[in-house]
Amino acid sequence: MSKTKGQNLVVGASVLALAGLIAKILSAVYRVPFQNLVGNTGFYVYQQVYPIYGIGMVFALSGWPLFVSKLIAEQNGDPLKEQLVARRMFWLLVLISVGLFLLIYGAAPVIAILMGNDTKLTGVIQAVAWMFWLMPFLTIGRGFAQGKQDMLPTAISQVIEQVVRVTVILVAAYWAVKHGWSMYLMGAWTTFSATLAALAASVFLISTLRQVWHDRLPADLRLAPNFNWRHLLGRLLNEGGLLAMIAALLVLLQLMDSFSVKVLLEDSGLQATMAEATKGVYDRGQPMVQLGMVVATGLGTSLLPTLRLHLLNENEQAFKTDFQMTTRLSLLFSVVTTVGLVAIMPALNQMLFGSQQGSTALAWYSLTIIPATLITVLVSTLQSFNRTKGLAWMISLTLLCKFGLNILFVPMWQINGASVATLLALVPLTIFTIWRIPSGLWHKWRPANWYFKLIGLAGMIGLSARFSYILGRLWFGSSRLASVEQTVLAIMFGLVVCIIMLRLTNILSIEEWLALPHGKKFYDRFIKRRKNAIR
């Protein structure tokens, strides 16, 4: 592979990673003003149906487009073959999309009953079903461009989709509150935002989609066995389905909650309205986890294109070095982020959502950042060299574990139990992904005393943040404004201690500093200066 082509691959993948990071931030941040507008019950209505949208979004954004891009890349630059594959995948996806729409729209009353016997959710579920009509346009437009190493259409369409969706959601929520709509009518409009957003992204992708139907294809090419309809459908369901399951893991876990938590809360003795509000409190944890994973997964995602390039260049040593660095950095930042969130959770909860209700459950939920981040990085590594055998079964087992643990824990511990269930359900999958990574990549993957340094660093950050939170509560009081001051104070204390501990422990190597945004500047100012002073 030429140097220019390799550089284009890394730059393109980095652009895609940056767009994904922006979309994740938007997807997490909008929930705060949204919940503030509609309250716990309104948040419950939206979050009950959100996983259905989330699954469709993953299909159209990362799961199936990645598979389509792989098919396009297999054609070795032959434009006629590329167009044929893309066209046939489009019509197969149309068939699947129609089936999904009819299933979700037609079975909405049944799904609503399964989601806690709340028949008023029927219209909300039907509103989100319309987005599946646009899935073929999004998948093929993005996948075709990615297969030709053009990441911009996917990146820009992803940001457009999120901006439109978030805008419609917040406007609909404001309008609903101002005009006294029911929470379910509000929910229908906010979930229909997914369709409007997908339409906007599809319009942007028109120029890419035109390339798919640019040429007239010869009859002998259409009869080639590699392009047989049944063959392509089999690959779409097997390979593409696995990629979609991997990308949708956290959303699928949320779907398990939608089907079980409210019912189990009622079984524990709560009235239906209280169970809905409590589930809404529990749902606060999802944007917190998304935000908590932004730094760690963004870091890992930005380095993973380099891993793919090393693989293509057959540079095993560079692959091993960068894999180990990615894993260390992702684990370090996920642990530090989680400890910080847990330490200041009551203040953060009140600052963002107006009360400290459910802070213990949210603290437990935040712990899922660590296994979820590791799974994201390790699965992406496994995908880079097609070592994904058994992942589909393990994801299915994870979902079954989540559902079963909810049944066991929620009646006893309510939403605390649901959070613990999510954390425990991810443990077997984390162990499996670690085991599937070739043992050679783990050889000497961490320096001496690295775990002790990590525990010391995280412990000191957690203690300092918690101490400053307690101090801030004594100084500022317990109002919502005070919680803002407490949170800012705790973050400042935590950052100062983090910098001091990074200097004392030297847990990051020079190469790891240089891999971080502005890392060289930070290293020269704080770490290198200290080493010179010691000499």
Side-chain angles (χ1 to χ4, degrees), residues 27-35 43 47 50 286-287 290 353:
S27 181
V29 168
Y30 83 86
R31 284 181 170 89
V32 175
F34 177 69
Q35 189 275 344
F43 200 47
Q47 286 292 138
Y50 172 81
Q286 294 168 18
Q290 278 185 286
F353 301 107

Side-chain angles (χ1 to χ4, degrees), residues 90 136-142 144 201-214:
F90 176 84
F137 300 93
L138 296 173
T139 300
I140 298 303
R142 289 163 171 166
F144 187 79
S202 298
V203 170
F204 173 78
L205 291 168
I206 284 176
S207 59
T208 304
L209 290 165
R210 282 176 179 166
Q211 299 175 34
V212 176
W213 277 271
H214 185 268

Side-chain angles (χ1 to χ4, degrees), residues 169-407:
I169 286 172
L170 294 179
V171 170
Y174 173 77
W175 191 266
V177 172
K178 186 175 180 180
H179 292 82
W181 288 3
S182 74
M183 289 295 99
Y184 293 91
L185 178 58
M186 177 278 302
W189 274 99
T190 52
T191 53
F192 188 68
S193 66
T195 303
L196 299 177
L199 180 61
S202 298
V203 170
F204 173 78
L205 291 168
I206 284 176
S207 59
T208 304
L209 290 165
R210 282 176 179 166
Q211 299 175 34
V212 176
W213 277 271
H214 185 268
D215 296 308
R216 184 179 179 85
L217 303 178
D220 60 331
L221 181 62
R222 294 197 297 268
L223 296 174
N226 286 344
F227 306 119
N228 178 274
W229 288 98
R230 183 177 294 180
H231 172 73
L232 289 175
L233 178 61
R235 291 193 65 182
L236 174 63
L237 295 178
N238 292 325
E239 298 176 45
L242 174 60
L243 293 175
M245 283 182 71
I246 292 168
L249 174 61
L250 292 179
V251 180
L252 290 169
L253 290 172
Q254 293 172 27
L255 186 63
M256 296 299 100
D257 283 328
S258 293
F259 283 126
S260 60
V261 170
K262 187 206 167 189
V263 176
L264 293 168
L265 286 173
E266 290 179 346
D267 289 344
S268 71
L270 297 183
Q271 296 293 324
T273 53
M274 182 58 70
E276 291 170 1
T278 304
K279 171 63 164 56
V281 171
Y282 170 71
D283 288 332
R284 297 177 184 182
Q286 294 168 18
M288 289 187 180
V289 168
Q290 278 185 286
L291 283 174
M293 291 181 65
V294 159
V295 175
T297 56
L299 178 66
T301 305
S302 66
L303 290 172
L304 284 169
T306 309
L307 297 184
R308 296 190 184 98
L309 183 60
H310 292 326
L311 193 70
L312 290 171
N313 289 335
E314 298 181 352
N315 192 337
E316 294 181 7
Q317 185 56 46
F319 186 99
K320 177 180 176 180
T321 300
D322 283 348
F323 162 75
Q324 292 182 352
M325 180 171 64
T326 302
T327 306
R328 286 195 302 270
L329 289 173
S330 298
L331 183 57
L332 170 64
F333 282 99
S334 63
V335 169
V336 168
T337 302
T338 301
V339 168
L341 282 176
V342 171
I344 65 170
M345 184 55 71
L348 185 64
N349 188 15
Q350 186 174 10
M351 181 185 77
L352 295 178
F353 301 107
S355 76
Q356 295 189 7
Q357 187 180 2
S359 293
T360 302
L362 300 183
W364 277 107
Y365 201 97
S366 297
L367 293 175
T368 62
I369 292 171
I370 299 171
T373 299
L374 278 177
I375 289 168
T376 300
V377 172
L378 297 180
V379 165
S380 298
T381 305
L382 291 172
Q383 286 175 310
S384 68
F385 46 84
N386 295 321
R387 196 180 171 93
T388 56
K389 184 178 180 180
L391 271 175
W393 287 105
M394 283 304 301
I395 292 172
S396 301
L397 178 62
T398 299
L399 299 179
L400 286 174
C401 285
K402 166 62 176 170
F403 197 83
L405 290 170
N406 271 358
I407 293 172

Side-chain angles (χ1 to χ4, degrees), residues 12 15-16 19 145-146 149-158 204-205:
V15 168
L16 196 57
Q146 286 175 230
Q149 300 303 322
D150 183 6
M151 306 300 178
L152 275 178
T154 297
I156 297 174
S157 69
Q158 185 176 357
F204 173 78
L205 291 168

